[in-house]
Amino acid sequence: MSGDRPLFGSREPMVVAARREADETASSPQESLLVAMLLSAAGGFLDAYTWLAYGGVFATAQTGNAVLVGVHAASGQWTRALQNFLPIAAFAIGVFVASRLRARAGEPRAALISLVVEIVLLGVVMAMPSAFPGLVVTLGISFVAALQNSSFGKVEGWHYNSVIATGDLSQSVEALVGGMIGPRDRRAMRQARVFATICVTFLVGAGFGAMATEHVGHRALALPAVLLLLVLSLCVAETPSRKLLTNDGAR
């Protein structure tokens, strides 16, 4: 009988669904969309900075470095191939260190330590003379970028990358297709919007990185440092509203 069925079929009322989504997305400051946007903007900025300031070497986009290693090696330019290979090694070391740090200090504390190390390194680079070897700077940025990417690996429960955009773009499109084909999936559509937003902020960060590097050189690193300081402040101090959401979700 129709009286035995819910008025809206199998769908939840919108208020209940919205509250459930809020509970899911408020799990921790480290997984918030705002933090992911700030980190992605910093990641795009740093890649544009090292590419322009230090002769076509990426600090974070190791796929690009791997391609350039092959291109330079094929043409016999072994010095240039080595210049693109070393950031890959520095990034791999950073991932290893981040993994050990999480094992020893726990994920939340490891994330904060990684942020502090990255901010300090950017400050040191800004204080260095412009004649300082660029490859050393790039290796340092590759290392701390790996710390950042490994320590902040989730946004609203989904795995993402804050220093490269390829995987995030793929997840955005896949979620969009999954949310539009068949029964409309609100969670999949949310995922598509989240990852599209991250990709856009990465692009915007790269654009600002290019402009700032052209105009002020290594002093441009003040901007990603500020972004990282904002992330640090968000992660250290939870807002009362976030605590309230967490407590309501536990009831």
Side-chain angles (χ1 to χ4, degrees), residues 40 165 168-170 172 194-204:
S40 296
D168 299 332
L169 176 61
S170 176
S172 178
V194 166
F195 280 88
T197 301
I198 291 172
C199 290
V200 170
T201 54
F202 184 90
L203 185 153
V204 171

Side-chain angles (χ1 to χ4, degrees), residues 222-239:
L223 183 54
V226 169
L227 296 178
L228 295 172
L229 282 170
L230 288 174
V231 172
L232 184 62
S233 66
L234 289 170
C235 293
V236 168
E238 289 191 7
T239 62

Side-chain angles (χ1 to χ4, degrees), residues 28-86:
S28 69
Q30 287 91 340
E31 294 188 23
S32 70
L33 178 57
L34 177 57
V35 164
M37 291 171 62
L38 293 170
L39 291 174
S40 296
F45 191 108
L46 292 175
D47 234 4
Y49 169 79
T50 55
W51 172 263
L52 292 171
Y54 301 118
V57 179
F58 292 110
T60 65
Q62 303 310 327
T63 301
N65 282 329
V67 170
L68 292 172
V69 168
V71 170
H72 295 322
S75 60
Q77 300 179 65
W78 298 109
T79 300
R80 296 198 65 182
L82 180 63
Q83 289 176 343
N84 286 102
F85 172 77
L86 290 177

Side-chain angles (χ1 to χ4, degrees), residues 25-29 31-32 238-247:
T25 59
S27 56
S28 69
E31 294 188 23
S32 70
E238 289 191 7
T239 62
S241 60
R242 182 175 297 278
K243 290 181 179 179
L244 179 60
L245 282 171
T246 304
N247 292 336

